[in-house]
Amino acid sequence: MISNSQPDANGHFGPYGGCFISETLTYAINELKNAYAKYQNDPDFLAEFQNELAHYVGRPSPVYHAARTSRELGGAQIYLKREDLNHTGAHKINNVIGQAMLARRMGKPRIIAETGAGQHGVATATICARYGLQCVVYMGAEDVKRQSPNVYRMKLLGATVTPVESGSKTLKDALNEAMRDWVANVDNTFYIIGTVAGPHPYPMMVRDFQSVIGKECLTQMPKMLGAEKQPDAVIACVGGGSNAIGIFHPYIPFEKTRLIGVEAAGRGLDSGQHAASLERGSPGVLHGNRTYVLQNDDGQIIETHSISAGLDYPGVGPEHAWLKDTGRAEYVGITDTEALAAFHHLCRTEGIIPALESSHAFAHAMKIAPAMRPDQSILVCLSGRGDKDIGTVADLDGVDFYDRPSMRGHVVKGAGNGTQGPQGQ
Ligand SMILES: Cc1ncc(COP(=O)(O)O)c(C=O)c1O
């Protein structure tokens, strides 16, 4: 039986993980390691965490039977773990609360974070507002454009959003910039990483906070399926890998349950324009840990592409690298087009607007369900809601989001340049 007791004391998941940092970060990382070791099993800390999850986040999140979809596909029953119903609209807040509670106990008044889709940034800004902490969020300039509703949400919550103009202007560049800030401000600053990446202890600590997702499913699924049954497959999308590890980790010892991580295949796994580190990458070091990364022959990180900002990352949490090599989890790719189709299906068939990230996981469930029996089941982690993505989807569908008359070829009388919206009429 494969145990889920990893990592070792130095943060190794088999040959992956560890702590590859510059000397300037050693003090900060040791301080964090000691603080987490002190509080991770502390009854007061755990009770406060549970209380916050119950009363502020709204946990446990429900499991929903997507009955119409299951009937239409004619195979396995599909269930959705509704992380989209959490306060702030995604799984990210589970981890942010844990880390912010640690920051308070460590006496750090300033919080920094990186964000891709903006969900981690919004969750961090939210908790900083609630705890009275200063908040700075680094976000790639490209992501600032494609996730603008979340940028404004962060600002409303009192955070400073700093666009990052370097590299591909996406998540990896935001992480680089946040690391730089941390090195310069270690005394008063806590870095809340939003996924199971980074140097030890982050991959373990973020996983521990996110494992609440899978732990809830372990008790919820037998109630849905009866007779102590667990799902035949658990599927989650993988950017850095935090919602996936959150739902996978408690299931690792349940060997009859397949664990399937879905990466962004972008324009195709063989197009060179994707973010599938586990399927097309190779072992290397990125952001402080050894894992699968997308790199060229010289070890330089290569550019990624995905329709969804939250999956657009050239690395992956080291525990996933280990789960892949041991064969305990499988990793597959879903293209932009397939994710978009799944997004629309979920809107129209179940009345749920999913995040584009989560749509990748749902798309794979739709792919494999027909080949399974109706008495089998698939549990999908619906990691977030899609309000942030409706502008992107509208653009891709060629729809003018605001239905501006100018975009319909009309010129509004008296509107001057013809670009004035309905509110200006
Ligand atoms: C809704 C949603 N799902 C999934 C992800 C991917 O992150 P992770 O792989 O860490 O769960 C993100 C990242 O921003 C997200 O916003």
Side-chain angles (χ1 to χ4, degrees):
M1 180 163 122
I2 298 179
S3 113
N4 57 1
S5 61
Q6 302 248 22
D8 68 14
N10 295 317
H12 293 115
F13 300 86
Y16 302 107
C19 189
F20 296 79
I21 49 169
S22 63
E23 231 171 86
T24 38
L25 268 186
T26 310
Y27 174 79
I29 283 289
N30 283 338
E31 198 186 17
L32 176 64
K33 253 195 295 198
N34 293 337
Y36 188 55
K38 179 172 172 191
Y39 291 112
Q40 78 184 121
N41 295 314
D42 175 69
D44 289 343
F45 184 86
L46 293 176
E48 186 183 330
F49 184 54
Q50 286 311 325
N51 195 55
E52 291 288 74
L53 291 181
H55 300 290
Y56 195 63
V57 178
R59 302 203 72 90
S61 63
V63 172
Y64 164 75
H65 182 200
R68 266 193 86 194
T69 300
S70 309
R71 247 192 331 271
E72 259 181 34
L73 295 174
Q77 304 306 309
I78 299 178
Y79 293 85
L80 307 177
K81 176 64 171 166
R82 300 289 309 274
E83 291 299 299
D84 59 313
L85 295 179
N86 293 341
H87 179 43
T88 70
H91 66 296
K92 297 285 182 185
I93 195 157
N94 304 325
N95 160 53
V96 169
I97 287 185
Q99 290 197 53
M101 282 172 45
L102 212 50
R104 286 221 288 192
R105 281 164 173 76
M106 291 168 70
K108 307 277 184 188
R110 181 173 179 268
I111 299 293
I112 56 170
E114 85 295 336
T115 198
Q119 289 301 133
H120 176 59
V122 167
T124 305
T126 297
I127 297 304
C128 287
R130 172 153 153 68
Y131 290 174
L133 300 166
Q134 190 193 340
C135 181
V136 177
V137 180
Y138 290 95
M139 188 168 191
E142 184 59 33
D143 294 338
V144 167
K145 267 191 264 162
R146 58 180 164 172
Q147 305 281 221
S148 54
N150 273 347
V151 175
Y152 191 55
R153 284 169 84 196
M154 286 184 263
K155 289 182 180 169
L156 287 174
L157 291 157
T160 302
V161 181
T162 307
V164 177
E165 299 285 351
S166 57
S168 54
K169 304 178 189 178
T170 57
L171 183 55
K172 97 171 152 33
D173 311 294
L175 230 139
N176 286 340
E177 213 49 47
M179 287 269 186
R180 271 183 215 120
D181 179 317
W182 200 25
V183 170
N185 299 292
V186 280
D187 287 344
N188 72 345
T189 298
F190 188 107
Y191 178 17
I192 299 188
I193 294 188
T195 191
V196 281
H200 179 63
Y202 281 105
M204 172 183 75
M205 182 171 69
V206 175
R207 176 209 60 203
D208 291 349
F209 293 138
Q210 289 293 5
S211 292
V212 63
I213 305 174
K215 285 181 193 156
E216 286 174 2
C217 294
L218 281 182
T219 57
Q220 289 168 316
M221 289 311 291
K223 288 183 195 145
M224 314 277 307
L225 303 174
E228 299 301 307
K229 271 176 134 175
Q230 293 296 345
D232 295 280
V234 175
I235 303 183
C237 66
V238 178
S242 68
N243 83 94
I245 214 72
I247 196 163
F248 287 179
H249 191 256
Y251 275 101
I252 291 175
F254 290 72
E255 286 179 25
K256 285 190 189 142
T257 300
R258 284 171 70 189
L259 304 178
I260 308 174
V262 183
E263 293 188 301
R267 301 195 172 101
L269 283 177
D270 297 321
S271 67
Q273 293 184 305
H274 56 76
S277 322
L278 286 162
E279 286 150 287
R280 289 293 183 272
S282 53
V285 172
L286 178 65
H287 295 139
N289 68 88
R290 186 168 189 275
T291 185
Y292 278 79
V293 297
L294 290 168
Q295 56 189 334
N296 63 19
D297 292 343
D298 297 326
Q300 296 298 315
I301 297 301
I302 56 180
E303 286 210 0
T304 51
H305 161 80
S306 170
I307 192 181
S308 66
L311 303 187
D312 207 349
Y313 182 61
V316 64
E319 192 163 1
H320 287 291
W322 173 75
L323 287 172
K324 173 187 162 78
D325 282 11
T326 56
R328 178 61 192 97
E330 310 152 50
Y331 295 89
V332 297
I334 282 289
T335 63
D336 290 350
T337 310
E338 291 170 322
L340 195 59
F343 173 95
H344 284 300
H345 178 97
L346 206 42
C347 292
R348 293 292 180 95
T349 311
E350 303 293 344
I352 295 171
I353 301 178
L356 281 171
E357 290 79 10
S358 325
S359 303
H360 286 70
F362 187 69
H364 192 66
M366 289 180 69
K367 234 183 204 180
I368 66 168
M372 294 170 71
R373 295 189 314 269
D375 64 335
Q376 291 187 298
S377 59
I378 300 172
L379 173 63
V380 178
C381 187
L382 198 76
S383 54
R385 69 179 188 223
D387 310 39
K388 67 185 178 58
D389 293 316
I390 56 177
T392 303
V393 172
D395 280 350
L396 289 165
D397 287 344
V399 172
D400 177 23
F401 190 64
Y402 293 105
D403 195 22
R404 283 167 297 201
S406 60
M407 302 287 281
R408 283 188 262 129
H410 298 163
V411 176
V412 179
K413 274 196 190 128
N417 60 11
T419 56
Q420 201 169 349
Q423 69 275 39
Q425 291 174 51

